Amino acid sequence: MLVVRGQKISGGNRESMELPFLIDACTSSDEGLYDVDLLSRLQKSDSAPLAELILSPNVPSSIDAEAVLPDKESSSIKASEVRSPTNRVRLKLENVGDRRLDLKDYLPLGSLNFVTAVPEQHLPKRWRETVRPPNALPDDHPLFEPLGHLMKASLVRIFCRRNQTSDNSATIRVYVLPDDRALGTLPKTLRKNRKELRVVMDLVDVTEDAWNGKVGINPEAKGYQPKLIEDDSLFYIFNTLESPGPNPAIVTNDAARDVMNGLLEGVPLIPGLKTKLYPYQERSAAMMVQREVNPVRMLDPRLETMRNPVGASFYYDREACTLLSERQEYDEAVGGILAETMGYGKTLICLAVILQTKGQWPRIHPQYSLGLHPIRPRVASLMQMTAATIGRTSIPWKSYFEQLSFEGDDFQSCVRCLMDNAGRYTIPSTVKKHARKSDADSQGKPIFLSSATLVIVPANLVHQWLQEYKIHFEETSLSLLIIDDLHKPIPPAPELRDYDVILISKARFERESSSHEATMKAMRNQVSCRCPSEIRECSHPLMQYHSPLKDLHFLRLIVDEGHTFASTGASNNVGKVLNELHVERKWIVSGTPTSGLMGVEVDMAAMEMLEGALSTNAEANQEALEARRKEIAIVQERKDIEKLGNLVVKFLQVKPWANSKQNDSASWFRYVMTSKTGARNITSLKRTLESLVIRHRVEDVEMDRPLPPLYNKVVHLEPSYFDKLSINIFILVLAANAITSERVDRDYMFHQSNRKPLDTLVRNLRQSGFYWTGFSAHEVSETVRVSTEYMQNEDNSLSAEDQALLQMALNIGMTCLASAAWRSFSEQAEMGIFVKDFPVPASEAWALCPSSKNRRIIYGTTHLQLAQKYIAEHAYASNPAEGLFEAGIAAKKQRQYVLFKAAESESNSPSKQRVRTGSISGQVVPSSTILAPYGVHKKSVRVYTALRQNEGTNSLSSSLSQQSTGRKSAMKSTSMFHSSSPAVLEPDSPLAKTALVGTASAKLSYLLDRIALLHLNEKIIVFYEGDHIAWYIAQVLELIHVKHLIYAKGIAVSLRASYLEWFNNTETYRVLLMDLAQAAHGLNVASASRIFFVNPVWSPSIEAQAIKRAHRIGQTRPVYVETLVLKNTFEEKLLDRRRVMTTDEHQQAAKSLLDDTAMNDAIKNLTFIPLSSLEIQDEEAQMARLHIPQAVFGHSTNALSEDILSSNKNHDSFDMGNVEPQERKRKAMFALDLQDSHETAKMTAKRR
């Protein structure tokens, strides 16, 4: 076929010939059709008027040789060059094979209006096609070269005519060949002009009038620009996603439609749910079912829908600059992300979905559907053939037969037949070249369909799932298998098929990887290889573990707190097992799919909200949401989108993002990822989130089930004398180090090489706001000595400011050393307790620091506990205090022995003898001299005492009662306290007057006052950071007989779960001390309505997540949050800075305060807290006084006088509620719980 397109003319058996010629494109004919007569004239004419070759739109896009240049006349055409004074065009003919495209294959794209120098008479009055950019288009026009390249590649066709509004202007219509019509037609070499096409797309006029040539030149004409979409923050987009709107009418599956109708109408199809779901929970559950069985076809998220000048739609991939004429769609994921906010009942929603879809089977993928019909040796019975068909087609039958059985009908033979014929398929084996395979392998791998749901949860949430099931569901409604024992093997696949739910801990699931270290070790112990010894690299089948989970095709997979799978490098073994599983429906369950994607109501939880505020929770939420609408946190968003991409691509395998490279590969990072400059593809991101996330807006949930109000305030406390000393010693060490190192080189603590130890110092500094005994008198003395020598050295270059600062540091050090109480606390790692009216004969024997003034003596909590125990054991003696003096002497001797043994153990331990400083390259120094001068040329102060953990606190404090040295063992043994009951004393007994009137910690004293006042009517959570803080609080709560539990990392997971159950469901335990690091996700502690943070939390999101442990569905009381802060200290600077930080700044400083420039500078420039002469000299001024004195001995602990109670009310801005004790109920529950608590703990831990 001969066409006018390129360099040669060819046809039949003739040789190709060069044919340069000039074409006389006379425009006398409006139709402009050219035929053989035109070519004949060209052959004869030498000086005809010339213009660009113009063809009518009615002419086919490829100029057919039969219509233009018949073969029969081709021999008469000779190659000759024709010249003309007006123009010269070299046109050539090319054989393009089968690439014959009509104009209808092209899309009208847009037009160009421009001023031209071509005479008016040479411009056509009607649209004519040109085979190259018209000469009328100026050479300097930005589209001259792009159009030329695109036309040469046959991607663009151009039609030209005279503009109807101006005599000296022309209009060009541009048609473009869409990619879905060009595939297979154009060679790959012709599809590289994307940059030119993008320029054309941006510059053509897309208006209808311009297309018709009815308007003049429009300098403001714009092409296909992105739609004006608000550049909202990812946080705002997530919080404004549409609430679920399930529609059963569009679901084609009858069983699923019935399930959805039952959920939405509040009458579940399958019985067993005891609890009535809230309307929003019903909608979420129904939407999950709809997504599973009826995934919607959605537009490819890479494409934008565009409308061209003639009103037709086409689809534009702006990133790749490709155009499609037809809508390209993909199915939504069969599953998604259940992202209801924290505490809104995600576990209950999931269990409801599992129950209502009970007995449904996964479908066999079409690629494995061949060969499913069984080949039988003889004709089967009708029942067997029916059962085989039901199993092969995944028809749900379990719930039907269960209902018949419930009504009294017996169809066991049918059920057995159906189970025997349950669906299965075979995955063909893929054998590498030259590899050996057994006969079994050659037959492929059989996979069995299972109606079970596999639920993977963090180990600490296994118990919570069980609790939710027990509370809300009938016991026999679902068959559950719990797998959380790390060493117990998983049952074989045939047994697993019988369960509805397989609940497995994440740690146990990880061991199902054949490459897991523990799994490989177990297999080596169980199986010995029989391969010849000369085979070095053995891959014997018996040496490889095969998980039974991989033999089943599960109906559903649910990963609770699935955001933990979002990190690329985290849980590699888990990722491997997940990729090897066969699952039809996949769900991530997390209120925070990534760290930055959280509900605004969660974010608001960390903001101060005082009681009596004018705005409601809803109004405050909306204000906070609008405030963050335009706050584009680039660093945070890049991390969030990257983690979200891991979930979308690797776990949910959503198309097109999970497409293979050979099948329309789509890069998540290219299309969705926020660039370093902040540019984002909002359209792709929103479409993906909308297709995956099931989450209600907070206002919609509030309409169905409003949460009780949440009040959050900061309590500013005046630091005690000992608080000031603790903080000042840290400042002393920093100041002395800065000055004596002259703030240079690695001797300086803030040198970049000292970053790790500096982080530890800052962490300890923050914890010292509660209490600190980590410095010894010797270490402070050494610091003072080194600083004094530096001041006296005549060679130093001290400025007046540094000299004054160092002198202040020396004064602080001398004050500490002069304080007998501080030295006692430091030496014995004890919390100082101020006691009034301790029995005089025995007071000296028990006191840490005796004093005669006002008969107030400082004791240690450990000693007071032993004294309490002694009095309780002798409560019924005529004189319970008899022998108390001798007991005190014995206790002191025992304590001295324990201190000696602890010091001896530390000095003999290789790990304790020498401590690498971390600031001098390779230098190792004895731990006893870590404050001594170091450096070859300088005598600068070491700061490494401030870097040590407060290790002595728990080990020494617990030695007398636990005979244990080591913080973790002490925490484990004291996480649940069961002291003897308070002694019953005669009203006139002198012991009844002994009272705890203050402590050495301002925060502890405030906390005791609040707990003593509130714990009878409300349950309390105290969040802490640092085990020593929990230990101090627990000891004092034990002194005042308040039953409490500790939820810490060092306690076994099963025991922690039991503690939560006891705290939530019994009246005995009133206070829960919870490590902040263990409170981030999943835990339900809605029984508590009072929350205390003993130190300000640096990260607002961590604080908010901790608060949501209590402020959640199931909470019936207002929740009050108090954060304790010492006035005029580093803590106030921390809070002030946190209030003004942006989201990006928080993200950059998430791991350390030092990553924030402002806080780094604040730490460098900390100032000493002044000490008054009264505080230094008067013990009365040194303690943090209790507003409610607590009896040390006897039942009078909580016998508060009305005047003390009322006076304390005046100091509380929060509503105290009804403080009248409910003694009858509480005492009954206390007696019952206390009786069985020890045995229950042992049995529960053993059972788990």
Side-chain angles (χ1 to χ4, degrees), residues 203-227:
L203 295 181
V204 293
D205 194 326
V206 298
T207 61
E208 182 180 359
D209 288 341
W211 178 261
N212 294 323
K214 295 181 179 180
V215 295
I217 299 173
N218 181 11
E220 299 181 358
K222 296 181 180 179
Y224 293 93
Q225 301 296 324
K227 292 182 179 179

mmCIF file of all heavy atoms in Angstrom, residues 203-227:
data_model
loop_
_atom_site.group_PDB
_atom_site.id
_atom_site.type_symbol
_atom_site.label_atom_id
_atom_site.label_comp_id
_atom_site.label_asym_id
_atom_site.label_seq_id
_atom_site.Cartn_x
_atom_site.Cartn_y
_atom_site.Cartn_z
ATOM 1 N N LEU A 203 -0.795 23.863 26.535
ATOM 2 C CA LEU A 203 -0.895 25.136 25.822
ATOM 3 C C LEU A 203 -2.077 25.243 24.877
ATOM 4 O O LEU A 203 -2.437 26.355 24.470
ATOM 5 C CB LEU A 203 0.396 25.407 25.044
ATOM 6 C CG LEU A 203 1.664 25.613 25.894
ATOM 7 C CD1 LEU A 203 2.860 25.898 25.006
ATOM 8 C CD2 LEU A 203 1.478 26.737 26.898
ATOM 9 N N VAL A 204 -2.685 24.146 24.496
ATOM 10 C CA VAL A 204 -3.801 24.260 23.546
ATOM 11 C C VAL A 204 -5.019 24.880 24.233
ATOM 12 O O VAL A 204 -5.185 24.778 25.444
ATOM 13 C CB VAL A 204 -4.184 22.878 22.977
ATOM 14 C CG1 VAL A 204 -3.090 22.323 22.105
ATOM 15 C CG2 VAL A 204 -4.555 21.907 24.087
ATOM 16 N N ASP A 205 -5.834 25.542 23.425
ATOM 17 C CA ASP A 205 -7.078 26.130 23.917
ATOM 18 C C ASP A 205 -8.158 25.045 23.858
ATOM 19 O O ASP A 205 -8.407 24.446 22.815
ATOM 20 C CB ASP A 205 -7.473 27.325 23.041
ATOM 21 C CG ASP A 205 -8.550 28.181 23.701
ATOM 22 O OD1 ASP A 205 -9.404 27.603 24.413
ATOM 23 O OD2 ASP A 205 -8.543 29.398 23.478
ATOM 24 N N VAL A 206 -8.830 24.810 24.976
ATOM 25 C CA VAL A 206 -9.770 23.695 25.049
ATOM 26 C C VAL A 206 -11.221 24.165 24.992
ATOM 27 O O VAL A 206 -12.134 23.360 25.179
ATOM 28 C CB VAL A 206 -9.541 22.871 26.341
ATOM 29 C CG1 VAL A 206 -8.156 22.272 26.337
ATOM 30 C CG2 VAL A 206 -9.759 23.728 27.583
ATOM 31 N N THR A 207 -11.442 25.445 24.697
ATOM 32 C CA THR A 207 -12.815 25.948 24.655
ATOM 33 C C THR A 207 -13.479 25.573 23.328
ATOM 34 O O THR A 207 -12.815 25.412 22.291
ATOM 35 C CB THR A 207 -12.839 27.467 24.835
ATOM 36 O OG1 THR A 207 -12.117 28.080 23.767
ATOM 37 C CG2 THR A 207 -12.212 27.854 26.168
ATOM 38 N N GLU A 208 -14.785 25.479 23.361
ATOM 39 C CA GLU A 208 -15.544 25.095 22.178
ATOM 40 C C GLU A 208 -15.486 26.176 21.098
ATOM 41 O O GLU A 208 -15.334 25.874 19.905
ATOM 42 C CB GLU A 208 -17.000 24.812 22.561
ATOM 43 C CG GLU A 208 -17.859 24.349 21.398
ATOM 44 C CD GLU A 208 -19.291 24.066 21.815
ATOM 45 O OE1 GLU A 208 -19.588 24.223 23.030
ATOM 46 O OE2 GLU A 208 -20.103 23.703 20.946
ATOM 47 N N ASP A 209 -15.579 27.449 21.471
ATOM 48 C CA ASP A 209 -15.537 28.532 20.493
ATOM 49 C C ASP A 209 -14.198 28.585 19.787
ATOM 50 O O ASP A 209 -14.126 28.843 18.567
ATOM 51 C CB ASP A 209 -15.831 29.870 21.179
ATOM 52 C CG ASP A 209 -17.297 29.984 21.583
ATOM 53 O OD1 ASP A 209 -18.122 29.228 21.031
ATOM 54 O OD2 ASP A 209 -17.609 30.820 22.465
ATOM 55 N N ALA A 210 -13.128 28.395 20.533
ATOM 56 C CA ALA A 210 -11.810 28.389 19.904
ATOM 57 C C ALA A 210 -11.682 27.215 18.944
ATOM 58 O O ALA A 210 -11.079 27.331 17.866
ATOM 59 C CB ALA A 210 -10.726 28.329 20.980
ATOM 60 N N TRP A 211 -12.248 26.092 19.312
ATOM 61 C CA TRP A 211 -12.202 24.911 18.440
ATOM 62 C C TRP A 211 -12.904 25.179 17.102
ATOM 63 O O TRP A 211 -12.460 24.723 16.051
ATOM 64 C CB TRP A 211 -12.844 23.739 19.166
ATOM 65 C CG TRP A 211 -12.916 22.468 18.372
ATOM 66 C CD1 TRP A 211 -13.983 21.990 17.691
ATOM 67 C CD2 TRP A 211 -11.861 21.529 18.178
ATOM 68 N NE1 TRP A 211 -13.682 20.791 17.072
ATOM 69 C CE2 TRP A 211 -12.373 20.480 17.358
ATOM 70 C CE3 TRP A 211 -10.541 21.464 18.590
ATOM 71 C CZ2 TRP A 211 -11.595 19.391 16.973
ATOM 72 C CZ3 TRP A 211 -9.755 20.376 18.210
ATOM 73 C CH2 TRP A 211 -10.289 19.356 17.412
ATOM 74 N N ASN A 212 -13.971 25.945 17.146
ATOM 75 C CA ASN A 212 -14.722 26.261 15.943
ATOM 76 C C ASN A 212 -14.201 27.496 15.222
ATOM 77 O O ASN A 212 -14.780 27.929 14.218
ATOM 78 C CB ASN A 212 -16.201 26.458 16.285
ATOM 79 C CG ASN A 212 -16.842 25.178 16.775
ATOM 80 O OD1 ASN A 212 -16.525 24.101 16.288
ATOM 81 N ND2 ASN A 212 -17.736 25.284 17.750
ATOM 82 N N GLY A 213 -13.116 28.076 15.741
ATOM 83 C CA GLY A 213 -12.511 29.235 15.087
ATOM 84 C C GLY A 213 -13.335 30.496 15.190
ATOM 85 O O GLY A 213 -13.212 31.394 14.359
ATOM 86 N N LYS A 214 -14.157 30.609 16.209
ATOM 87 C CA LYS A 214 -15.057 31.749 16.337
ATOM 88 C C LYS A 214 -14.531 32.811 17.285
ATOM 89 O O LYS A 214 -15.214 33.794 17.554
ATOM 90 C CB LYS A 214 -16.420 31.269 16.830
ATOM 91 C CG LYS A 214 -17.143 30.369 15.836
ATOM 92 C CD LYS A 214 -18.501 29.932 16.364
ATOM 93 C CE LYS A 214 -19.223 29.048 15.362
ATOM 94 N NZ LYS A 214 -20.563 28.626 15.880
ATOM 95 N N VAL A 215 -13.345 32.629 17.843
ATOM 96 C CA VAL A 215 -12.762 33.623 18.736
ATOM 97 C C VAL A 215 -11.369 33.963 18.241
ATOM 98 O O VAL A 215 -10.740 33.180 17.514
ATOM 99 C CB VAL A 215 -12.697 33.112 20.190
ATOM 100 C CG1 VAL A 215 -14.092 32.892 20.733
ATOM 101 C CG2 VAL A 215 -11.866 31.853 20.283
ATOM 102 N N GLY A 216 -10.904 35.105 18.656
ATOM 103 C CA GLY A 216 -9.576 35.521 18.269
ATOM 104 C C GLY A 216 -8.522 34.913 19.176
ATOM 105 O O GLY A 216 -8.761 33.943 19.901
ATOM 106 N N ILE A 217 -7.359 35.532 19.134
ATOM 107 C CA ILE A 217 -6.245 35.021 19.935
ATOM 108 C C ILE A 217 -6.512 35.303 21.406
ATOM 109 O O ILE A 217 -6.823 36.431 21.797
ATOM 110 C CB ILE A 217 -4.926 35.684 19.496
ATOM 111 C CG1 ILE A 217 -4.652 35.358 18.025
ATOM 112 C CG2 ILE A 217 -3.779 35.228 20.372
ATOM 113 C CD1 ILE A 217 -3.468 36.088 17.458
ATOM 114 N N ASN A 218 -6.381 34.263 22.228
ATOM 115 C CA ASN A 218 -6.615 34.379 23.668
ATOM 116 C C ASN A 218 -5.308 34.097 24.389
ATOM 117 O O ASN A 218 -4.929 32.927 24.581
ATOM 118 C CB ASN A 218 -7.703 33.410 24.109
ATOM 119 C CG ASN A 218 -7.998 33.522 25.601
ATOM 120 O OD1 ASN A 218 -7.549 34.457 26.259
ATOM 121 N ND2 ASN A 218 -8.737 32.555 26.129
ATOM 122 N N PRO A 219 -4.592 35.145 24.790
ATOM 123 C CA PRO A 219 -3.290 34.908 25.441
ATOM 124 C C PRO A 219 -3.406 34.200 26.781
ATOM 125 O O PRO A 219 -2.438 33.648 27.287
ATOM 126 C CB PRO A 219 -2.722 36.333 25.609
ATOM 127 C CG PRO A 219 -3.928 37.223 25.608
ATOM 128 C CD PRO A 219 -4.922 36.574 24.701
ATOM 129 N N GLU A 220 -4.591 34.221 27.376
ATOM 130 C CA GLU A 220 -4.786 33.569 28.671
ATOM 131 C C GLU A 220 -5.326 32.152 28.533
ATOM 132 O O GLU A 220 -5.716 31.528 29.523
ATOM 133 C CB GLU A 220 -5.744 34.400 29.535
ATOM 134 C CG GLU A 220 -5.223 35.803 29.836
ATOM 135 C CD GLU A 220 -6.190 36.579 30.714
ATOM 136 O OE1 GLU A 220 -7.253 36.034 31.037
ATOM 137 O OE2 GLU A 220 -5.836 37.722 31.069
ATOM 138 N N ALA A 221 -5.387 31.650 27.311
ATOM 139 C CA ALA A 221 -5.901 30.295 27.111
ATOM 140 C C ALA A 221 -5.019 29.285 27.833
ATOM 141 O O ALA A 221 -3.788 29.355 27.770
ATOM 142 C CB ALA A 221 -5.964 29.983 25.620
ATOM 143 N N LYS A 222 -5.678 28.383 28.509
ATOM 144 C CA LYS A 222 -4.961 27.351 29.255
ATOM 145 C C LYS A 222 -5.409 25.987 28.775
ATOM 146 O O LYS A 222 -6.550 25.795 28.380
ATOM 147 C CB LYS A 222 -5.211 27.487 30.759
ATOM 148 C CG LYS A 222 -4.687 28.780 31.350
ATOM 149 C CD LYS A 222 -4.945 28.833 32.841
ATOM 150 C CE LYS A 222 -4.403 30.135 33.432
ATOM 151 N NZ LYS A 222 -4.662 30.222 34.888
ATOM 152 N N GLY A 223 -4.473 25.058 28.820
ATOM 153 C CA GLY A 223 -4.770 23.716 28.379
ATOM 154 C C GLY A 223 -5.433 22.892 29.466
ATOM 155 O O GLY A 223 -6.228 23.397 30.269
ATOM 156 N N TYR A 224 -5.055 21.654 29.506
ATOM 157 C CA TYR A 224 -5.652 20.717 30.460
ATOM 158 C C TYR A 224 -4.903 20.815 31.788
ATOM 159 O O TYR A 224 -4.017 20.016 32.100
ATOM 160 C CB TYR A 224 -5.601 19.306 29.897
ATOM 161 C CG TYR A 224 -6.487 19.138 28.691
ATOM 162 C CD1 TYR A 224 -5.977 19.314 27.401
ATOM 163 C CD2 TYR A 224 -7.822 18.827 28.827
ATOM 164 C CE1 TYR A 224 -6.787 19.181 26.282
ATOM 165 C CE2 TYR A 224 -8.649 18.690 27.710
ATOM 166 C CZ TYR A 224 -8.127 18.865 26.455
ATOM 167 O OH TYR A 224 -8.938 18.730 25.354
ATOM 168 N N GLN A 225 -5.278 21.821 32.546
ATOM 169 C CA GLN A 225 -4.651 22.039 33.838
ATOM 170 C C GLN A 225 -5.290 21.128 34.881
ATOM 171 O O GLN A 225 -6.429 20.703 34.731
ATOM 172 C CB GLN A 225 -4.803 23.510 34.265
ATOM 173 C CG GLN A 225 -4.207 24.489 33.288
ATOM 174 C CD GLN A 225 -2.705 24.323 33.157
ATOM 175 O OE1 GLN A 225 -2.011 24.019 34.132
ATOM 176 N NE2 GLN A 225 -2.194 24.496 31.938
ATOM 177 N N PRO A 226 -4.551 20.828 35.969
ATOM 178 C CA PRO A 226 -5.143 20.002 37.030
ATOM 179 C C PRO A 226 -6.374 20.685 37.608
ATOM 180 O O PRO A 226 -6.460 21.916 37.670
ATOM 181 C CB PRO A 226 -4.020 19.907 38.075
ATOM 182 C CG PRO A 226 -2.774 20.233 37.331
ATOM 183 C CD PRO A 226 -3.162 21.184 36.252
ATOM 184 N N LYS A 227 -7.332 19.883 37.999
ATOM 185 C CA LYS A 227 -8.530 20.433 38.600
ATOM 186 C C LYS A 227 -8.176 21.127 39.906
ATOM 187 O O LYS A 227 -7.267 20.723 40.623
ATOM 188 C CB LYS A 227 -9.542 19.313 38.871
ATOM 189 C CG LYS A 227 -10.104 18.700 37.599
ATOM 190 C CD LYS A 227 -11.145 17.629 37.932
ATOM 191 C CE LYS A 227 -11.722 17.031 36.652
ATOM 192 N NZ LYS A 227 -12.715 15.969 36.954
#
